[in-house]
Amino acid sequence: MGFGIRDSGFERRTPAYESGRSPNSQFQLPSFCAILDADASAAAGWVLPDLADACLAGGARFLQFRAKHAAGGWFLDVATAIVLRARAAGAVVIVNDRADIARLANAHGVHLGQDDLSPRAARAIVGDAAVVGLSTHTVGQIDAALSHPISYVAVGPVFGTSTKTTGYDAVGVSRVREAARRGRGRGLPVVAIGGITLDSAVDVINAGAASIAVIGDLLRTGDPEGRVRAYVERLARMNNV
Ligand code: TZP
Ligand code: MG
């Protein structure tokens, strides 16, 4: 089974984290991450594989599947369906919280929070070549994240969000800038999350985020394919000016 990032063009060229470097430190994150959130998509009337198809058709090449209240069997079935679609499109999929589901669904990796398995423990399940992200909210958590075997550090909520009760105030783009500065020395990219919209996306990338992750704003217009395309085109234009 081709588990890992190698077969999606995300080649891992560095030795494992024991060398003192981050795993996947050459890993090039797509600048846009569409989060397929089970609760938000159900509320918006979307079936998840259809939403995945819409995001992929709009050009998303980095998906995260998040299902906070799902039973394990359902979570695995839907994750597997999303991974099959994403792999056919050459996209990377990571699973929120659950390293076991990520591995069983043949996803590319897992996104962890502060209260989930440690990155090292998750790597024992998903492997050295997998993508492992870690959510942070404070400067202390960012600094601690730098010594974990992770592929990227996530920072948020950047702006106010109603999608998740994080327990933290909005951290602002200044925290993204700070995280990017601290991560740079370790070759660790930053994924920014929380309250990001099409209008704020460019500012967040300009603050140093390698990627932005979005839930609510994808669903807001009722046309996720068109919304994803608008993000992808807007961010691509940044690279061409
Ligand atoms: N982690 C920090 S904020 C957040 C998560 C999962 C919610 C992001 O959702 P939205 O709708 O893009 O603000
Ligand atoms: Mg979590």
Side-chain angles (χ1 to χ4, degrees), residues 139 142 173-183 190 207:
V139 171
I142 294 166
V173 291
S174 60
R175 183 69 47 81
V176 175
R177 198 170 291 113
E178 187 60 30
R181 193 179 67 75
R182 286 163 193 257
V190 169

Side-chain angles (χ1 to χ4, degrees), residues 125-178:
I125 297 170
V126 297
D128 278 358
V131 178
V132 175
L134 178 63
S135 274
T136 66
H137 313 282
T138 66
V139 171
Q141 289 171 355
I142 294 166
D143 279 343
L146 300 181
S147 60
H148 286 293
I150 56 176
S151 318
Y152 67 83
V153 58
V155 180
V158 181
F159 305 111
T161 176
S162 52
T163 307
K164 175 179 174 179
T165 310
T166 62
Y168 294 89
D169 291 334
V171 299
V173 291
S174 60
R175 183 69 47 81
V176 175
R177 198 170 291 113
E178 187 60 30

Side-chain angles (χ1 to χ4, degrees), residues 68 96-97 113 116:
K68 287 292 180 185
N96 186 272
D97 293 342
D116 296 319

Side-chain angles (χ1 to χ4, degrees), residues 32 35 40-41 43-46 51 55 159-164 194-201 213-228 231:
F32 179 73
I35 301 187
S41 40
W46 281 90
L51 182 60
C55 291
F159 305 111
T161 176
S162 52
T163 307
K164 175 179 174 179
I196 297 171
T197 64
L198 189 55
D199 287 336
S200 58
V214 178
I215 301 176
D217 196 55
L218 294 183
L219 298 162
R220 201 153 286 142
T221 63
D223 173 21
E225 177 180 335
R227 197 65 168 171
V228 167
Y231 273 98

Side-chain angles (χ1 to χ4, degrees), residues 45-104:
W46 281 90
V47 173
L48 282 156
D50 291 348
L51 182 60
D53 283 342
C55 291
L56 293 166
R61 291 297 173 266
F62 183 19
L63 306 180
Q64 183 190 137
F65 177 36
R66 181 173 188 266
K68 287 292 180 185
H69 307 105
W74 182 91
F75 199 157
L76 177 57
D77 288 349
V78 178
T80 302
I82 292 170
V83 169
L84 284 171
R85 284 163 161 78
R87 284 189 178 274
V92 165
V93 188
I94 58 174
V95 173
N96 186 272
D97 293 342
R98 298 282 299 267
D100 55 343
I101 302 250
R103 172 153 190 166
L104 290 167

